[in-house]
Amino acid sequence: MTKRNMELAQHFQDALNARFKAAQAAGKNEVTIVARDLMNDLGDEGADRQWSASEVMQKARTVHDTVLHEPPSGHSPALKISYVIPRPLPDVWPFVAGKTYSRRHYIHRLYGGQEQGGISTPADAPGIFIFTGHATSFMGYQDTFQPDGSFHYTGQGQTGDMQMERGNAAILNHAANGKDLLLFSQEAKGAPVRFRGFYTCAGWHTERQKDLEGNERNAIVFTLAPLTSDEIEDAEEEPITALQDPTSLSLQDLRRRALEAAKAPPRRTDAGSRSVYARSRDVRNYVLRRADGVCESCDQPAPFKTTAGLPYLEAHHIRRLSDGGPDDPRFVAGICPTCHRRAHHGADAAEVNRKMQAVVTEKERLAD
């Protein structure tokens, strides 16, 4: 694809996203779009560009959407698709740990967000991009990997005391807001950025550091804990043999606890403390009670009972396939071990997770 065609496709995508956003702001649960609509949105640029408009619409389609009219070629101004609102989140981030990417032409072209600075918060993407490495030291930032595998990341603010606002607040509250943290590093000026992996905010503290003008100030330093595949699998496979006093708490009480746990921000700590990312027991208790002994993926009874006499299901985070995602009951399902493996390793994992999310979303909608 030529550079011009890539730019045109991005403009059609921007026009499509604008229609999605307008429909969501209007409180709609679906929006019907015709390829001709997008062509008209771009004016002269979109004239006679039916192939590009149709391609963007087809790529945006998920199993939740309905094709109302599709010409034989698939590319025509008459292509009509009904899209669900809000839009489903992507199943898998395309980034591979250790590989490099062009920050401007790949990351921001796909997801948007600020192209300068260390914290990028794209409005329409389910993640926050964090950049470290070259140039950060020139601004007084002291980002370092720790012996326990965590990463100390200096927050946003070049002069004066840092405040817990904007990008800093986005990192602090990323789990409660359903946002992933993706860490990238840059080794040299102008070089591509290297994806270091997925992280979660495990806490924060303040340090005395010099700002861009050389003055001492209070700097916010986040402790970011890595989410590696092995750690995630170990955590997810931990058997849950009993709920916390399941007879004394109603489903509504468990849900309230789960939602409160999901919203709780990471604590402020002293500089020497270490905290690790642990899934909330309250979230898992609620999710397993919500499943009520039936897998929320295959809709079959749990394969066996535990020694406590409870149906055995596992908590699966469907926010992202590469790791567990945030502890939020809206993105966690109670499923059987077979479906759990399938959701992570199956050839149809993306489809399995999409359907699973639809089940969880509907249950949570009815619970509101």
Side-chain angles (χ1 to χ4, degrees):
M1 181 180 289
T2 66
K3 181 179 179 180
R4 172 56 186 154
N5 286 339
M6 291 176 62
E7 291 176 348
L8 184 62
Q10 183 60 51
H11 293 167
F12 274 120
Q13 184 64 61
D14 292 341
L16 186 62
N17 290 340
R19 286 180 171 268
F20 290 155
K21 185 177 295 185
Q24 185 166 349
K28 297 181 179 180
N29 55 21
E30 64 179 357
V31 59
T32 298
I33 298 175
V34 182
R36 186 178 291 105
D37 297 337
L38 297 187
M39 296 168 65
N40 291 337
D41 288 347
L42 267 61
D44 291 341
E45 185 183 27
D48 300 323
R49 295 288 184 170
Q50 62 188 42
W51 193 92
S52 296
S54 301
E55 183 183 35
V56 167
M57 287 180 61
Q58 294 281 21
K59 285 185 176 180
R61 182 164 60 91
T62 72
V63 295
H64 306 289
D65 305 319
T66 304
V67 177
L68 301 179
H69 177 71
E70 184 174 19
S73 67
H75 301 295
S76 165
L79 174 66
K80 180 187 293 187
I81 299 177
S82 176
Y83 296 94
V84 298
I85 300 296
R87 300 302 296 150
L89 296 171
D91 299 293
V92 182
W93 289 101
F95 307 109
V96 177
K99 290 192 174 183
T100 59
Y101 302 88
S102 167
R103 173 171 177 175
R104 178 181 179 184
H105 296 295
Y106 190 89
I107 299 174
H108 296 301
R109 184 181 68 80
L110 286 177
Y111 300 101
Q114 302 90 327
E115 297 185 13
Q116 301 293 328
I119 305 174
S120 181
T121 56
D124 297 322
I128 297 168
F129 304 127
I130 299 177
F131 299 93
T132 186
H134 181 80
T136 57
S137 60
F138 296 106
M139 292 187 288
Y141 298 166
Q142 302 172 19
D143 301 341
T144 56
F145 283 98
Q146 302 300 304
D148 65 356
S150 65
F151 184 66
H152 279 187
Y153 182 76
T154 304
Q156 192 175 64
Q158 296 184 18
T159 59
D161 291 341
M162 291 185 181
Q163 305 297 320
M164 192 61 76
E165 58 186 16
R166 298 190 296 276
N168 295 333
I171 292 178
L172 181 70
N173 301 309
H174 79 95
N177 293 332
K179 297 280 190 175
D180 299 326
L181 289 185
L182 294 82
L183 178 64
F184 297 85
S185 63
Q186 185 180 46
E187 284 75 30
K189 182 178 181 179
V193 293
R194 188 177 305 278
F195 180 51
R196 304 304 296 263
F198 297 97
Y199 284 72
T200 186
C201 180
W204 64 281
H205 62 274
T206 58
E207 291 182 1
R208 296 295 289 176
Q209 294 184 11
K210 290 185 178 181
D211 65 12
L212 186 62
E213 299 174 350
N215 300 317
E216 288 282 332
R217 50 85 175 266
N218 287 327
I220 294 173
V221 179
F222 295 99
T223 297
L224 305 181
L227 298 178
T228 66
S229 297
D230 289 340
E231 289 168 349
I232 293 303
E233 287 298 324
D234 289 344
E236 287 181 342
E237 292 171 4
E238 177 188 352
I240 305 172
T241 58
L243 297 176
Q244 295 176 347
D245 195 7
T247 60
S248 64
L249 294 175
S250 66
L251 179 64
Q252 290 74 21
D253 288 335
L254 288 174
R255 184 171 188 264
R256 177 181 52 78
R257 286 190 173 193
L259 292 173
E260 289 175 354
K263 293 178 180 179
R267 298 192 309 271
R268 178 171 180 167
T269 63
D270 59 48
S273 68
R274 296 289 181 268
S275 58
V276 297
Y277 182 67
R279 286 178 171 78
S280 166
R281 178 69 65 176
D282 288 332
V283 171
R284 292 195 290 184
N285 282 350
Y286 164 64
V287 166
L288 295 183
R289 175 75 74 83
R290 183 187 66 199
D292 195 24
V294 177
C295 175
E296 292 183 319
S297 179
C298 66
D299 199 32
Q300 296 298 309
F304 60 88
K305 291 187 176 181
T306 67
T307 55
L310 297 174
Y312 181 84
L313 295 173
E314 298 174 349
H316 168 62
H317 291 62
I318 52 183
R319 163 66 74 161
R320 182 179 56 235
L321 301 186
S322 55
D323 65 48
D327 267 321
D328 189 313
R330 297 170 298 173
F331 311 120
V332 183
I335 60 177
C336 68
T338 299
C339 285
H340 201 171
R341 297 298 182 275
R342 185 176 179 181
H344 278 284
H345 308 296
D348 60 347
E351 178 68 9
V352 168
N353 279 275
R354 273 196 290 265
K355 291 182 177 179
M356 198 186 309
Q357 182 66 72
V359 171
V360 171
T361 298
E362 179 63 13
K363 285 188 174 183
E364 289 301 304
R365 184 187 69 81
L366 295 174
D368 285 335

